[in-house]
Amino acid sequence: ESPQTQLWPVDDQRAEAALLAICEDARLVEALLAIEGATASQRAATEAQIDSWASAVRLAVKAAPHCPATGAGALREVLVAHGNLRGDAGCYDAAENSLIAAVVERRLGQPVLLSSLWIEVGRRAGVAVAGVGLPGHFIARVGGPSGIYVDPFCGGRVLTDRQCRKIVEDVSKGTLPWHDDYLATASTHEIVQRVLRNLMRARRAAADQRGMYRAVRFYAALRPDDVEAALVHARMAEEIGASRLAADLYTALIARFPTSHEAVVAERRLSPLHLVIQALH
């Protein structure tokens, strides 16, 4: 079995193809389960729990299903007070906090995963919930474009516009100017990409090269026009020892983005890689 086959087995090839199709259809939970590589039993348990939470929320909002305050209160009661979903401040960067089946099982997660659960439970319960990708901290909005902002990582506390601005100010230590489009609705693609970036950091910190490569490859597949993602993909393949794959990726990058700075970097990496490949023969 070749290093490339070991690095990207058939199951991962299928997961990559499925992830692309799922994101196009905006099926958020399925996309997150594909990223995780969840087993059939993990998928079933995750879906069943989300359905159970959604049923409870649907009952709670029956009298006023379109009221943002009612919806936010019901979600907070079901997911936080009873479901005990909360932010993992102690081990924030742990990979498990970016894997939806693990988050549902442990009841701990990062902001984007907890917000994703609020989004999906709300959708199944008939409550409008959208993700909002503030720089450095993901939150949710309940009740449509004029609804209320909530922070699922902090127990679903309600946020004013000013508090949203303060989050960005604190996260960036005052270096990032405020833009109103920070409050725009995040698409399924954007949510999944954010989760993958978090996973890439977590896997690298844990020295998990296999997991790191998997997250990088998924990210590059979702961002085919992103030259930086293409370079990260090639560099990771090289780092992990898949020399032929890395050479192919560098060559493809140069052909597709010939005038980019990344193409110059790829050119520099190809010569030593070719020497490594020749030595393998």
Side-chain angles (χ1 to χ4, degrees):
E1 188 176 32
S2 70
Q4 182 169 339
T5 303
Q6 295 172 7
L7 189 61
W8 201 243
V10 172
D11 285 351
D12 282 346
Q13 292 178 34
R14 291 174 182 150
E16 180 184 339
L19 179 62
L20 294 173
I22 289 165
C23 283
E24 288 305 316
D25 291 341
R27 304 196 313 264
L28 179 56
V29 168
E30 289 182 58
L32 296 175
L33 288 167
I35 287 172
E36 185 168 355
T39 64
S41 61
Q42 287 174 320
R43 289 171 182 270
T46 300
E47 292 282 4
Q49 182 60 79
I50 293 172
D51 279 339
S52 176
W53 283 331
S55 295
V57 171
R58 192 181 304 112
L59 284 174
V61 301
K62 193 172 183 181
H66 304 300
C67 172
T70 299
L75 285 159
R76 192 181 306 109
E77 182 69 16
V78 170
L79 296 178
V80 180
H82 295 296
N84 203 29
L85 271 177
R86 61 197 187 281
D88 189 354
C91 299
Y92 185 88
D93 291 322
E96 291 81 1
N97 288 330
S98 292
L99 304 173
I100 191 168
V103 169
V104 168
E105 181 181 0
R106 297 167 62 242
R107 301 294 201 269
L108 293 168
Q110 284 195 343
V112 64
L113 265 293
L114 297 175
S115 296
S116 295
L117 287 169
W118 277 60
I119 292 166
E120 185 62 16
V121 170
R123 185 187 70 79
R124 297 185 190 192
V127 176
V129 185
V132 175
L134 295 179
H137 192 74
F138 205 94
I139 62 171
R141 186 180 60 244
V142 181
S146 59
I148 59 177
Y149 298 102
V150 295
D151 187 351
F153 188 79
C154 295
R157 71 182 178 113
V158 174
L159 299 168
T160 63
D161 285 12
R162 175 61 195 135
Q163 286 171 316
C164 291
R165 289 171 179 254
K166 185 69 166 56
I167 287 172
V168 173
E169 182 181 329
D170 290 346
V171 167
S172 70
K173 295 181 170 54
T175 62
L176 202 58
W178 175 260
H179 295 286
D180 288 341
D181 58 6
Y182 289 157
L183 294 174
T185 297
S187 68
T188 298
H189 259 281
E190 290 167 337
I191 293 172
V192 170
Q193 289 168 29
R194 191 152 176 162
V195 172
L196 285 169
R197 288 194 297 270
N198 291 343
L199 262 181
M200 287 157 60
R201 286 193 295 270
R203 298 299 194 192
R204 184 175 287 282
D208 178 1
Q209 288 188 317
R210 173 71 181 81
M212 171 69 176
Y213 180 80
R214 193 171 191 275
V216 166
R217 177 149 176 172
F218 280 158
Y219 186 78
L222 286 172
R223 300 288 299 270
D225 297 322
D226 186 334
V227 64
E228 187 176 346
L231 181 61
V232 170
H233 185 191
R235 290 296 296 266
M236 190 63 214
E238 180 182 0
E239 184 179 318
I240 213 165
S243 300
R244 291 186 182 86
L245 173 59
D248 289 344
L249 291 170
Y250 283 132
T251 301
L253 186 158
I254 293 164
R256 184 160 192 189
F257 308 100
T259 61
S260 67
H261 166 72
E262 287 78 6
V264 175
V265 175
E267 288 276 12
R268 291 195 195 114
R269 299 307 309 157
L270 272 176
S271 294
L273 266 179
H274 286 151
L275 292 175
V276 171
I277 292 167
Q278 287 171 10
L280 293 173
H281 286 291

PDB file of all heavy atoms in Angstrom, residues 16-55:
ATOM      1  N   GLU A  16     -14.996  13.064   1.254  1.00  0.00           N
ATOM      2  CA  GLU A  16     -14.726  14.339   0.599  1.00  0.00           C
ATOM      3  C   GLU A  16     -15.794  14.646  -0.445  1.00  0.00           C
ATOM      4  O   GLU A  16     -16.333  15.763  -0.495  1.00  0.00           O
ATOM      5  CB  GLU A  16     -13.352  14.312  -0.065  1.00  0.00           C
ATOM      6  CG  GLU A  16     -12.993  15.602  -0.774  1.00  0.00           C
ATOM      7  CD  GLU A  16     -11.668  15.523  -1.511  1.00  0.00           C
ATOM      8  OE1 GLU A  16     -10.841  14.651  -1.172  1.00  0.00           O
ATOM      9  OE2 GLU A  16     -11.453  16.324  -2.435  1.00  0.00           O
ATOM     10  N   ALA A  17     -16.116  13.665  -1.275  1.00  0.00           N
ATOM     11  CA  ALA A  17     -17.145  13.860  -2.306  1.00  0.00           C
ATOM     12  C   ALA A  17     -18.495  14.158  -1.667  1.00  0.00           C
ATOM     13  O   ALA A  17     -19.241  15.034  -2.123  1.00  0.00           O
ATOM     14  CB  ALA A  17     -17.228  12.626  -3.197  1.00  0.00           C
ATOM     15  N   ALA A  18     -18.795  13.429  -0.599  1.00  0.00           N
ATOM     16  CA  ALA A  18     -20.073  13.643   0.093  1.00  0.00           C
ATOM     17  C   ALA A  18     -20.129  15.029   0.708  1.00  0.00           C
ATOM     18  O   ALA A  18     -21.155  15.710   0.643  1.00  0.00           O
ATOM     19  CB  ALA A  18     -20.268  12.583   1.172  1.00  0.00           C
ATOM     20  N   LEU A  19     -19.012  15.486   1.301  1.00  0.00           N
ATOM     21  CA  LEU A  19     -18.984  16.796   1.946  1.00  0.00           C
ATOM     22  C   LEU A  19     -19.282  17.908   0.951  1.00  0.00           C
ATOM     23  O   LEU A  19     -20.050  18.830   1.242  1.00  0.00           O
ATOM     24  CB  LEU A  19     -17.626  17.028   2.600  1.00  0.00           C
ATOM     25  CG  LEU A  19     -17.432  18.371   3.303  1.00  0.00           C
ATOM     26  CD1 LEU A  19     -18.413  18.528   4.462  1.00  0.00           C
ATOM     27  CD2 LEU A  19     -15.998  18.518   3.806  1.00  0.00           C
ATOM     28  N   LEU A  20     -18.698  17.831  -0.236  1.00  0.00           N
ATOM     29  CA  LEU A  20     -18.936  18.850  -1.254  1.00  0.00           C
ATOM     30  C   LEU A  20     -20.409  18.905  -1.649  1.00  0.00           C
ATOM     31  O   LEU A  20     -21.000  19.973  -1.770  1.00  0.00           O
ATOM     32  CB  LEU A  20     -18.064  18.579  -2.477  1.00  0.00           C
ATOM     33  CG  LEU A  20     -16.552  18.719  -2.247  1.00  0.00           C
ATOM     34  CD1 LEU A  20     -15.782  18.254  -3.481  1.00  0.00           C
ATOM     35  CD2 LEU A  20     -16.182  20.139  -1.903  1.00  0.00           C
ATOM     36  N   ALA A  21     -21.012  17.736  -1.841  1.00  0.00           N
ATOM     37  CA  ALA A  21     -22.424  17.682  -2.228  1.00  0.00           C
ATOM     38  C   ALA A  21     -23.329  18.170  -1.096  1.00  0.00           C
ATOM     39  O   ALA A  21     -24.287  18.916  -1.323  1.00  0.00           O
ATOM     40  CB  ALA A  21     -22.804  16.255  -2.619  1.00  0.00           C
ATOM     41  N   ILE A  22     -23.006  17.772   0.122  1.00  0.00           N
ATOM     42  CA  ILE A  22     -23.816  18.148   1.276  1.00  0.00           C
ATOM     43  C   ILE A  22     -23.797  19.661   1.491  1.00  0.00           C
ATOM     44  O   ILE A  22     -24.823  20.289   1.767  1.00  0.00           O
ATOM     45  CB  ILE A  22     -23.303  17.422   2.540  1.00  0.00           C
ATOM     46  CG1 ILE A  22     -23.642  15.927   2.477  1.00  0.00           C
ATOM     47  CG2 ILE A  22     -23.911  18.022   3.802  1.00  0.00           C
ATOM     48  CD1 ILE A  22     -22.866  15.089   3.477  1.00  0.00           C
ATOM     49  N   CYS A  23     -22.604  20.273   1.364  1.00  0.00           N
ATOM     50  CA  CYS A  23     -22.503  21.726   1.561  1.00  0.00           C
ATOM     51  C   CYS A  23     -23.309  22.478   0.516  1.00  0.00           C
ATOM     52  O   CYS A  23     -23.903  23.521   0.816  1.00  0.00           O
ATOM     53  CB  CYS A  23     -21.040  22.160   1.524  1.00  0.00           C
ATOM     54  SG  CYS A  23     -20.135  21.789   3.040  1.00  0.00           S
ATOM     55  N   GLU A  24     -23.330  21.968  -0.705  1.00  0.00           N
ATOM     56  CA  GLU A  24     -24.123  22.619  -1.748  1.00  0.00           C
ATOM     57  C   GLU A  24     -25.602  22.613  -1.395  1.00  0.00           C
ATOM     58  O   GLU A  24     -26.337  23.534  -1.737  1.00  0.00           O
ATOM     59  CB  GLU A  24     -23.909  21.913  -3.097  1.00  0.00           C
ATOM     60  CG  GLU A  24     -22.545  22.165  -3.719  1.00  0.00           C
ATOM     61  CD  GLU A  24     -22.242  23.642  -3.892  1.00  0.00           C
ATOM     62  OE1 GLU A  24     -23.136  24.394  -4.344  1.00  0.00           O
ATOM     63  OE2 GLU A  24     -21.118  24.059  -3.554  1.00  0.00           O
ATOM     64  N   ASP A  25     -26.036  21.580  -0.681  1.00  0.00           N
ATOM     65  CA  ASP A  25     -27.444  21.480  -0.272  1.00  0.00           C
ATOM     66  C   ASP A  25     -27.701  22.086   1.105  1.00  0.00           C
ATOM     67  O   ASP A  25     -28.808  21.985   1.631  1.00  0.00           O
ATOM     68  CB  ASP A  25     -27.877  20.005  -0.255  1.00  0.00           C
ATOM     69  CG  ASP A  25     -27.949  19.403  -1.653  1.00  0.00           C
ATOM     70  OD1 ASP A  25     -28.029  20.184  -2.616  1.00  0.00           O
ATOM     71  OD2 ASP A  25     -27.897  18.176  -1.773  1.00  0.00           O
ATOM     72  N   ALA A  26     -26.654  22.690   1.692  1.00  0.00           N
ATOM     73  CA  ALA A  26     -26.774  23.376   2.990  1.00  0.00           C
ATOM     74  C   ALA A  26     -27.258  22.445   4.105  1.00  0.00           C
ATOM     75  O   ALA A  26     -28.009  22.864   4.984  1.00  0.00           O
ATOM     76  CB  ALA A  26     -27.696  24.588   2.874  1.00  0.00           C
ATOM     77  N   ARG A  27     -26.814  21.197   4.090  1.00  0.00           N
ATOM     78  CA  ARG A  27     -27.186  20.237   5.132  1.00  0.00           C
ATOM     79  C   ARG A  27     -26.077  20.244   6.194  1.00  0.00           C
ATOM     80  O   ARG A  27     -25.125  19.458   6.133  1.00  0.00           O
ATOM     81  CB  ARG A  27     -27.398  18.851   4.522  1.00  0.00           C
ATOM     82  CG  ARG A  27     -28.421  18.860   3.409  1.00  0.00           C
ATOM     83  CD  ARG A  27     -28.961  17.500   3.012  1.00  0.00           C
ATOM     84  NE  ARG A  27     -28.007  16.450   2.805  1.00  0.00           N
ATOM     85  CZ  ARG A  27     -27.507  16.096   1.613  1.00  0.00           C
ATOM     86  NH1 ARG A  27     -27.829  16.774   0.521  1.00  0.00           N
ATOM     87  NH2 ARG A  27     -26.675  15.082   1.504  1.00  0.00           N
ATOM     88  N   LEU A  28     -26.239  21.151   7.158  1.00  0.00           N
ATOM     89  CA  LEU A  28     -25.161  21.467   8.083  1.00  0.00           C
ATOM     90  C   LEU A  28     -24.738  20.280   8.934  1.00  0.00           C
ATOM     91  O   LEU A  28     -23.537  19.972   9.028  1.00  0.00           O
ATOM     92  CB  LEU A  28     -25.574  22.643   8.973  1.00  0.00           C
ATOM     93  CG  LEU A  28     -24.561  23.100  10.025  1.00  0.00           C
ATOM     94  CD1 LEU A  28     -23.232  23.451   9.381  1.00  0.00           C
ATOM     95  CD2 LEU A  28     -25.112  24.281  10.810  1.00  0.00           C
ATOM     96  N   VAL A  29     -25.663  19.612   9.589  1.00  0.00           N
ATOM     97  CA  VAL A  29     -25.295  18.518  10.484  1.00  0.00           C
ATOM     98  C   VAL A  29     -24.628  17.385   9.713  1.00  0.00           C
ATOM     99  O   VAL A  29     -23.619  16.819  10.158  1.00  0.00           O
ATOM    100  CB  VAL A  29     -26.524  18.001  11.264  1.00  0.00           C
ATOM    101  CG1 VAL A  29     -26.219  16.689  11.961  1.00  0.00           C
ATOM    102  CG2 VAL A  29     -26.952  19.032  12.297  1.00  0.00           C
ATOM    103  N   GLU A  30     -25.156  17.057   8.534  1.00  0.00           N
ATOM    104  CA  GLU A  30     -24.537  16.010   7.726  1.00  0.00           C
ATOM    105  C   GLU A  30     -23.117  16.390   7.338  1.00  0.00           C
ATOM    106  O   GLU A  30     -22.219  15.544   7.314  1.00  0.00           O
ATOM    107  CB  GLU A  30     -25.370  15.744   6.474  1.00  0.00           C
ATOM    108  CG  GLU A  30     -26.691  15.041   6.745  1.00  0.00           C
ATOM    109  CD  GLU A  30     -27.444  14.769   5.442  1.00  0.00           C
ATOM    110  OE1 GLU A  30     -26.883  14.087   4.576  1.00  0.00           O
ATOM    111  OE2 GLU A  30     -28.580  15.264   5.312  1.00  0.00           O
ATOM    112  N   ALA A  31     -22.905  17.674   7.026  1.00  0.00           N
ATOM    113  CA  ALA A  31     -21.557  18.134   6.675  1.00  0.00           C
ATOM    114  C   ALA A  31     -20.608  17.981   7.863  1.00  0.00           C
ATOM    115  O   ALA A  31     -19.469  17.518   7.710  1.00  0.00           O
ATOM    116  CB  ALA A  31     -21.603  19.583   6.219  1.00  0.00           C
ATOM    117  N   LEU A  32     -21.063  18.345   9.044  1.00  0.00           N
ATOM    118  CA  LEU A  32     -20.217  18.243  10.226  1.00  0.00           C
ATOM    119  C   LEU A  32     -19.938  16.787  10.590  1.00  0.00           C
ATOM    120  O   LEU A  32     -18.834  16.446  11.040  1.00  0.00           O
ATOM    121  CB  LEU A  32     -20.871  18.968  11.399  1.00  0.00           C
ATOM    122  CG  LEU A  32     -21.027  20.485  11.211  1.00  0.00           C
ATOM    123  CD1 LEU A  32     -21.789  21.093  12.381  1.00  0.00           C
ATOM    124  CD2 LEU A  32     -19.676  21.167  11.031  1.00  0.00           C
ATOM    125  N   LEU A  33     -20.902  15.917  10.381  1.00  0.00           N
ATOM    126  CA  LEU A  33     -20.678  14.489  10.615  1.00  0.00           C
ATOM    127  C   LEU A  33     -19.684  13.916   9.609  1.00  0.00           C
ATOM    128  O   LEU A  33     -18.866  13.052   9.943  1.00  0.00           O
ATOM    129  CB  LEU A  33     -22.006  13.723  10.550  1.00  0.00           C
ATOM    130  CG  LEU A  33     -22.952  13.936  11.744  1.00  0.00           C
ATOM    131  CD1 LEU A  33     -24.343  13.400  11.427  1.00  0.00           C
ATOM    132  CD2 LEU A  33     -22.391  13.262  13.003  1.00  0.00           C
ATOM    133  N   ALA A  34     -19.730  14.410   8.370  1.00  0.00           N
ATOM    134  CA  ALA A  34     -18.774  13.957   7.355  1.00  0.00           C
ATOM    135  C   ALA A  34     -17.360  14.382   7.716  1.00  0.00           C
ATOM    136  O   ALA A  34     -16.405  13.608   7.567  1.00  0.00           O
ATOM    137  CB  ALA A  34     -19.164  14.513   5.983  1.00  0.00           C
ATOM    138  N   ILE A  35     -17.207  15.607   8.196  1.00  0.00           N
ATOM    139  CA  ILE A  35     -15.897  16.080   8.644  1.00  0.00           C
ATOM    140  C   ILE A  35     -15.348  15.172   9.737  1.00  0.00           C
ATOM    141  O   ILE A  35     -14.174  14.804   9.744  1.00  0.00           O
ATOM    142  CB  ILE A  35     -16.000  17.521   9.175  1.00  0.00           C
ATOM    143  CG1 ILE A  35     -16.201  18.500   8.028  1.00  0.00           C
ATOM    144  CG2 ILE A  35     -14.761  17.897   9.982  1.00  0.00           C
ATOM    145  CD1 ILE A  35     -16.503  19.907   8.495  1.00  0.00           C
ATOM    146  N   GLU A  36     -16.203  14.815  10.650  1.00  0.00           N
ATOM    147  CA  GLU A  36     -15.790  14.008  11.794  1.00  0.00           C
ATOM    148  C   GLU A  36     -15.446  12.583  11.396  1.00  0.00           C
ATOM    149  O   GLU A  36     -14.655  11.916  12.071  1.00  0.00           O
ATOM    150  CB  GLU A  36     -16.893  14.004  12.855  1.00  0.00           C
ATOM    151  CG  GLU A  36     -16.524  13.291  14.133  1.00  0.00           C
ATOM    152  CD  GLU A  36     -17.515  13.565  15.258  1.00  0.00           C
ATOM    153  OE1 GLU A  36     -18.429  14.392  15.055  1.00  0.00           O
ATOM    154  OE2 GLU A  36     -17.371  12.978  16.325  1.00  0.00           O
ATOM    155  N   GLY A  37     -16.038  12.106  10.288  1.00  0.00           N
ATOM    156  CA  GLY A  37     -15.888  10.695   9.944  1.00  0.00           C
ATOM    157  C   GLY A  37     -16.651   9.833  10.926  1.00  0.00           C
ATOM    158  O   GLY A  37     -16.207   8.742  11.309  1.00  0.00           O
ATOM    159  N   ALA A  38     -17.822  10.327  11.340  1.00  0.00           N
ATOM    160  CA  ALA A  38     -18.617   9.646  12.361  1.00  0.00           C
ATOM    161  C   ALA A  38     -19.079   8.272  11.883  1.00  0.00           C
ATOM    162  O   ALA A  38     -19.386   8.074  10.702  1.00  0.00           O
ATOM    163  CB  ALA A  38     -19.826  10.501  12.734  1.00  0.00           C
ATOM    164  N   THR A  39     -19.120   7.333  12.811  1.00  0.00           N
ATOM    165  CA  THR A  39     -19.623   5.994  12.507  1.00  0.00           C
ATOM    166  C   THR A  39     -21.151   6.038  12.377  1.00  0.00           C
ATOM    167  O   THR A  39     -21.793   7.031  12.750  1.00  0.00           O
ATOM    168  CB  THR A  39     -19.250   5.007  13.622  1.00  0.00           C
ATOM    169  OG1 THR A  39     -19.914   5.419  14.832  1.00  0.00           O
ATOM    170  CG2 THR A  39     -17.749   4.983  13.851  1.00  0.00           C
ATOM    171  N   ALA A  40     -21.718   4.946  11.874  1.00  0.00           N
ATOM    172  CA  ALA A  40     -23.173   4.880  11.728  1.00  0.00           C
ATOM    173  C   ALA A  40     -23.867   5.057  13.076  1.00  0.00           C
ATOM    174  O   ALA A  40     -24.899   5.737  13.181  1.00  0.00           O
ATOM    175  CB  ALA A  40     -23.569   3.550  11.086  1.00  0.00           C
ATOM    176  N   SER A  41     -23.322   4.448  14.117  1.00  0.00           N
ATOM    177  CA  SER A  41     -23.952   4.565  15.440  1.00  0.00           C
ATOM    178  C   SER A  41     -23.821   5.984  15.982  1.00  0.00           C
ATOM    179  O   SER A  41     -24.743   6.500  16.627  1.00  0.00           O
ATOM    180  CB  SER A  41     -23.330   3.558  16.420  1.00  0.00           C
ATOM    181  OG  SER A  41     -21.947   3.810  16.592  1.00  0.00           O
ATOM    182  N   GLN A  42     -22.681   6.646  15.734  1.00  0.00           N
ATOM    183  CA  GLN A  42     -22.522   8.035  16.158  1.00  0.00           C
ATOM    184  C   GLN A  42     -23.487   8.951  15.419  1.00  0.00           C
ATOM    185  O   GLN A  42     -24.069   9.865  16.015  1.00  0.00           O
ATOM    186  CB  GLN A  42     -21.084   8.496  15.918  1.00  0.00           C
ATOM    187  CG  GLN A  42     -20.059   7.916  16.873  1.00  0.00           C
ATOM    188  CD  GLN A  42     -18.643   8.306  16.493  1.00  0.00           C
ATOM    189  OE1 GLN A  42     -18.290   8.337  15.314  1.00  0.00           O
ATOM    190  NE2 GLN A  42     -17.821   8.594  17.489  1.00  0.00           N
ATOM    191  N   ARG A  43     -23.653   8.715  14.126  1.00  0.00           N
ATOM    192  CA  ARG A  43     -24.599   9.506  13.340  1.00  0.00           C
ATOM    193  C   ARG A  43     -26.014   9.350  13.888  1.00  0.00           C
ATOM    194  O   ARG A  43     -26.740  10.324  14.072  1.00  0.00           O
ATOM    195  CB  ARG A  43     -24.561   9.079  11.870  1.00  0.00           C
ATOM    196  CG  ARG A  43     -23.305   9.478  11.139  1.00  0.00           C
ATOM    197  CD  ARG A  43     -23.249   8.812   9.754  1.00  0.00           C
ATOM    198  NE  ARG A  43     -22.012   9.151   9.071  1.00  0.00           N
ATOM    199  CZ  ARG A  43     -21.844  10.186   8.276  1.00  0.00           C
ATOM    200  NH1 ARG A  43     -22.862  10.993   8.030  1.00  0.00           N
ATOM    201  NH2 ARG A  43     -20.689  10.429   7.708  1.00  0.00           N
ATOM    202  N   ALA A  44     -26.394   8.104  14.128  1.00  0.00           N
ATOM    203  CA  ALA A  44     -27.749   7.830  14.614  1.00  0.00           C
ATOM    204  C   ALA A  44     -27.989   8.485  15.971  1.00  0.00           C
ATOM    205  O   ALA A  44     -29.044   9.096  16.209  1.00  0.00           O
ATOM    206  CB  ALA A  44     -27.977   6.321  14.702  1.00  0.00           C
ATOM    207  N   ALA A  45     -27.006   8.372  16.870  1.00  0.00           N
ATOM    208  CA  ALA A  45     -27.163   8.945  18.206  1.00  0.00           C
ATOM    209  C   ALA A  45     -27.231  10.478  18.141  1.00  0.00           C
ATOM    210  O   ALA A  45     -28.044  11.105  18.837  1.00  0.00           O
ATOM    211  CB  ALA A  45     -25.990   8.519  19.096  1.00  0.00           C
ATOM    212  N   THR A  46     -26.423  11.077  17.277  1.00  0.00           N
ATOM    213  CA  THR A  46     -26.416  12.543  17.142  1.00  0.00           C
ATOM    214  C   THR A  46     -27.742  13.033  16.581  1.00  0.00           C
ATOM    215  O   THR A  46     -28.339  13.984  17.104  1.00  0.00           O
ATOM    216  CB  THR A  46     -25.260  12.980  16.224  1.00  0.00           C
ATOM    217  OG1 THR A  46     -24.025  12.548  16.800  1.00  0.00           O
ATOM    218  CG2 THR A  46     -25.238  14.490  16.049  1.00  0.00           C
ATOM    219  N   GLU A  47     -28.190  12.407  15.511  1.00  0.00           N
ATOM    220  CA  GLU A  47     -29.462  12.802  14.895  1.00  0.00           C
ATOM    221  C   GLU A  47     -30.627  12.628  15.863  1.00  0.00           C
ATOM    222  O   GLU A  47     -31.516  13.481  15.941  1.00  0.00           O
ATOM    223  CB  GLU A  47     -29.702  11.991  13.615  1.00  0.00           C
ATOM    224  CG  GLU A  47     -28.748  12.296  12.477  1.00  0.00           C
ATOM    225  CD  GLU A  47     -29.090  13.587  11.750  1.00  0.00           C
ATOM    226  OE1 GLU A  47     -30.028  14.299  12.172  1.00  0.00           O
ATOM    227  OE2 GLU A  47     -28.399  13.893  10.764  1.00  0.00           O
ATOM    228  N   ALA A  48     -30.627  11.519  16.610  1.00  0.00           N
ATOM    229  CA  ALA A  48     -31.715  11.254  17.558  1.00  0.00           C
ATOM    230  C   ALA A  48     -31.750  12.313  18.655  1.00  0.00           C
ATOM    231  O   ALA A  48     -32.826  12.784  19.053  1.00  0.00           O
ATOM    232  CB  ALA A  48     -31.554   9.861  18.160  1.00  0.00           C
ATOM    233  N   GLN A  49     -30.569  12.709  19.152  1.00  0.00           N
ATOM    234  CA  GLN A  49     -30.525  13.722  20.209  1.00  0.00           C
ATOM    235  C   GLN A  49     -30.993  15.076  19.694  1.00  0.00           C
ATOM    236  O   GLN A  49     -31.743  15.785  20.365  1.00  0.00           O
ATOM    237  CB  GLN A  49     -29.115  13.829  20.772  1.00  0.00           C
ATOM    238  CG  GLN A  49     -28.977  14.822  21.902  1.00  0.00           C
ATOM    239  CD  GLN A  49     -29.850  14.496  23.089  1.00  0.00           C
ATOM    240  OE1 GLN A  49     -29.522  13.628  23.886  1.00  0.00           O
ATOM    241  NE2 GLN A  49     -30.984  15.187  23.228  1.00  0.00           N
ATOM    242  N   ILE A  50     -30.562  15.442  18.489  1.00  0.00           N
ATOM    243  CA  ILE A  50     -30.989  16.720  17.916  1.00  0.00           C
ATOM    244  C   ILE A  50     -32.499  16.722  17.694  1.00  0.00           C
ATOM    245  O   ILE A  50     -33.183  17.720  17.975  1.00  0.00           O
ATOM    246  CB  ILE A  50     -30.228  17.006  16.605  1.00  0.00           C
ATOM    247  CG1 ILE A  50     -28.746  17.251  16.897  1.00  0.00           C
ATOM    248  CG2 ILE A  50     -30.822  18.212  15.871  1.00  0.00           C
ATOM    249  CD1 ILE A  50     -27.875  17.352  15.666  1.00  0.00           C
ATOM    250  N   ASP A  51     -33.039  15.616  17.219  1.00  0.00           N
ATOM    251  CA  ASP A  51     -34.489  15.507  17.033  1.00  0.00           C
ATOM    252  C   ASP A  51     -35.220  15.644  18.364  1.00  0.00           C
ATOM    253  O   ASP A  51     -36.280  16.290  18.441  1.00  0.00           O
ATOM    254  CB  ASP A  51     -34.841  14.157  16.387  1.00  0.00           C
ATOM    255  CG  ASP A  51     -34.649  14.164  14.887  1.00  0.00           C
ATOM    256  OD1 ASP A  51     -34.633  15.251  14.281  1.00  0.00           O
ATOM    257  OD2 ASP A  51     -34.509  13.071  14.306  1.00  0.00           O
ATOM    258  N   SER A  52     -34.680  15.028  19.407  1.00  0.00           N
ATOM    259  CA  SER A  52     -35.312  15.105  20.729  1.00  0.00           C
ATOM    260  C   SER A  52     -35.322  16.542  21.242  1.00  0.00           C
ATOM    261  O   SER A  52     -36.343  17.031  21.744  1.00  0.00           O
ATOM    262  CB  SER A  52     -34.554  14.200  21.707  1.00  0.00           C
ATOM    263  OG  SER A  52     -35.073  14.326  23.015  1.00  0.00           O
ATOM    264  N   TRP A  53     -34.197  17.223  21.105  1.00  0.00           N
ATOM    265  CA  TRP A  53     -34.147  18.629  21.517  1.00  0.00           C
ATOM    266  C   TRP A  53     -35.127  19.477  20.705  1.00  0.00           C
ATOM    267  O   TRP A  53     -35.811  20.344  21.252  1.00  0.00           O
ATOM    268  CB  TRP A  53     -32.728  19.171  21.330  1.00  0.00           C
ATOM    269  CG  TRP A  53     -31.757  18.739  22.392  1.00  0.00           C
ATOM    270  CD1 TRP A  53     -32.031  18.441  23.695  1.00  0.00           C
ATOM    271  CD2 TRP A  53     -30.337  18.576  22.240  1.00  0.00           C
ATOM    272  NE1 TRP A  53     -30.886  18.091  24.358  1.00  0.00           N
ATOM    273  CE2 TRP A  53     -29.832  18.175  23.507  1.00  0.00           C
ATOM    274  CE3 TRP A  53     -29.455  18.731  21.171  1.00  0.00           C
ATOM    275  CZ2 TRP A  53     -28.464  17.920  23.709  1.00  0.00           C
ATOM    276  CZ3 TRP A  53     -28.102  18.485  21.379  1.00  0.00           C
ATOM    277  CH2 TRP A  53     -27.617  18.083  22.631  1.00  0.00           C
ATOM    278  N   ALA A  54     -35.190  19.211  19.407  1.00  0.00           N
ATOM    279  CA  ALA A  54     -36.077  19.991  18.538  1.00  0.00           C
ATOM    280  C   ALA A  54     -37.543  19.786  18.920  1.00  0.00           C
ATOM    281  O   ALA A  54     -38.334  20.739  18.913  1.00  0.00           O
ATOM    282  CB  ALA A  54     -35.856  19.600  17.076  1.00  0.00           C
ATOM    283  N   SER A  55     -37.907  18.566  19.274  1.00  0.00           N
ATOM    284  CA  SER A  55     -39.289  18.289  19.689  1.00  0.00           C
ATOM    285  C   SER A  55     -39.646  19.087  20.939  1.00  0.00           C
ATOM    286  O   SER A  55     -40.750  19.641  21.049  1.00  0.00           O
ATOM    287  CB  SER A  55     -39.472  16.790  19.964  1.00  0.00           C
ATOM    288  OG  SER A  55     -39.309  16.043  18.779  1.00  0.00           O
TER     289      SER A  55
END
